[in-house]
Amino acid sequence: MTAFEHQRLTAVEDRRLSPYTGWTREHWTALADRMLAAVVPHRSPGGARIDLPGPASRNGRVSDGLEGFARTFLLAGFRVAGERGADPGGLLEPYARGLAAGTDP
């Protein structure tokens, strides 16, 4: 069982707060952590792209990799902001390295 599955299973639903899903902040943060962990194996060597498997878009693989980096960086940013600046699990360091690698001429 993954950490996400354990946290999701141990998190208590709150149907009053969230009548449709019962999910609480604990459920959503566990999902965000799982999504961010899932892309780790797909980081480019310098970390400036996240090259997900599957066919490339018509914009090409490099553009897709940059898009993967940007979109997951946004999720990491929301995750850290939700913790009032605390960095759960060291999420920001790989993005800092990726930004440095991607802007190095």
Side-chain angles (χ1 to χ4, degrees), residues 3 6-7 54-55 71 98:
H6 176 72
Q7 187 175 4
R71 290 174 188 250

Side-chain angles (χ1 to χ4, degrees), residues 88-101:
L91 295 172
L92 296 181
E93 181 58 34
Y95 288 98
R97 285 193 312 268
L99 284 171

Side-chain angles (χ1 to χ4, degrees), residues 8 16 40 48 51 60 69 73 82 100:
R8 185 175 52 82
R16 181 189 53 75
V40 170
D51 298 319
F69 177 90
F73 193 10

